[in-house]
Amino acid sequence: MTSAKVELGRLPTENTMRKLRIAAFASGRGSNLAAILDSIKRRTLDCEVVLVMSNKPTAGVLDIARTHGIAALHLAQEQFEHAEDFDRRLLGALAEHQVEMIVLAGYLKKINPAIIRDYKNRILNIHPALLPAFGGKGMYGRNVHQAVLDYGCKVSGVTVHLVDEEYDRGPPVLQKCVPVKEGDTAESLAARVLVEEHKIFSEALQLFAEGRVEVRGRRAVIRE
Ligand code: GRF
C-alpha cells in the first residue's frame, strides 16, 4: 500500500509532468467516466485512469475501460465469504496499479471502512443534487430528481464531495446549481444535471491533481 500513498496537498502538479493515478468505481453506464477520459484527452485534466472496478459484470463502464485499454475489474462483495477478503482483494488491486485517488462515478455500494482508512480524503463521489439535500441511502438515479420535483424545488445541482463512511456525507469540494424548469420530468432534470456533472467532476479532480485541496474538518479548502 505504501507506494500508492500520497499526502494530501502534495499530489503531483502539472510541472512535475506526473499524472495523478486514479481508479474509478462504478455500477452503470459510465458517462461520467467517459467525460473524465475526454478531459484527459483534451489535456485539461492531469490524471491517468489506471483501473476501473465495477460490482456489475455487465456494466457499460467496464466496456469503456476495455475500449481505452484500462484495466477492468469486476469485483463484488458477494464473491467473498468475508468482507475483509473483499477489502484485501480491492486494496491489492489498488496497490498493484499504484492508485492515488479513487472516484466513485455512479457506484451504488457503500465503501468499506478499510478502504476509507487507506484512502482518507482521497475518494471523491459525484451526486446529482445539492447535498445535504436529497442525499443518503436510496437517493440515487431517478429517485433523486423525482424527490427534487416532488418537493417543488426551483434549483437542483451537482455536488462533488469527499467520501466518508456514510452515503453522501463527506465534505463538498465543488457544487454547481442547475435550474429546475416548469414542466420538468425526472428525466429532463437528470439530463440537465448530467451536463454539469460531466464538467464539474473533472474540475474537482484537477484541483487534486494540482495539490490545491486541503481538508480542514468539514471544509475542503481550495487554495489559489
Ligand atoms: C450520475 O448521475 C452520478 O451523479 C450518480 O450516478 C450517475 C452515474 O451516471 N452518482 P453515469 O454512469 O456516470 O452515466
Side-chain angles (χ1 to χ4, degrees):
M1 252 337 291
T2 43
S3 60
K5 283 209 165 154
V6 173
E7 229 178 276
L8 198 74
R10 295 232 187 134
L11 295 174
T13 57
E14 200 174 15
N15 50 20
T16 66
M17 299 301 285
R18 217 171 92 26
K19 308 255 183 240
L20 181 62
R21 296 174 68 83
I22 60 179
F25 296 178
S27 305
R29 64 191 166 181
S31 73
N32 274 287
L33 172 65
I36 287 169
L37 292 169
D38 193 49
S39 299
I40 292 171
K41 194 169 156 204
R42 285 186 287 107
R43 294 172 185 270
T44 55
L45 177 56
D46 299 315
C47 291
E48 189 181 351
V49 181
V50 294
L51 175 68
V52 173
M53 186 280 270
S54 182
N55 58 313
K56 295 258 169 68
T58 55
V61 76
L62 291 176
D63 293 330
I64 295 176
R66 291 183 194 110
T67 306
H68 285 80
I70 300 166
L73 176 66
H74 164 231
L75 202 62
Q77 193 148 314
E78 303 82 71
Q79 297 165 333
F80 300 84
E81 201 177 330
H82 305 290
E84 305 78 59
D85 296 333
F86 170 70
D87 293 345
R88 234 190 316 274
R89 174 75 179 86
L90 184 51
L91 285 169
L94 293 169
E96 182 194 335
H97 292 279
Q98 300 183 325
V99 169
E100 295 166 309
M101 192 129 193
I102 299 168
V103 295
L104 309 184
Y107 185 61
L108 298 179
K109 296 284 181 184
K110 213 180 223 178
I111 303 296
N112 288 345
I115 317 294
I116 307 264
R117 204 166 42 237
D118 276 19
Y119 281 83
K120 188 165 168 54
N121 291 333
R122 293 189 292 135
I123 309 177
L124 277 184
N125 181 43
I126 187 156
H127 184 76
L130 293 174
L131 292 174
F134 307 109
K137 196 166 166 51
M139 278 293 168
Y140 62 88
R142 180 179 201 287
N143 299 352
V144 179
H145 306 291
Q146 192 57 55
V148 168
L149 294 176
D150 290 347
Y151 199 84
C153 289
K154 303 295 185 188
V155 288
S156 187
V158 188
T159 304
V160 178
H161 66 95
L162 288 158
V163 172
D164 67 12
E165 295 80 2
E166 275 310 314
Y167 282 117
D168 302 328
R169 190 184 63 178
V173 176
L174 290 179
Q175 291 187 295
K176 179 96 196 270
C177 289
V178 174
V180 175
K181 295 192 175 164
E182 221 43 69
D184 255 341
T185 60
E187 287 70 27
S188 64
L189 179 56
R192 194 175 312 117
V193 169
L194 193 65
V195 172
E196 296 305 329
E197 289 188 45
H198 290 167
K199 297 179 200 159
I200 200 176
F201 216 175
S202 294
E203 286 169 19
L205 265 173
Q206 181 61 15
L207 294 173
F208 282 88
E210 292 173 8
R212 288 173 56 197
V213 184
E214 189 184 321
V215 184
R216 296 186 202 145
R218 267 213 65 82
R219 296 187 65 79
V221 178
I222 297 164
R223 287 194 293 252
E224 284 307 314

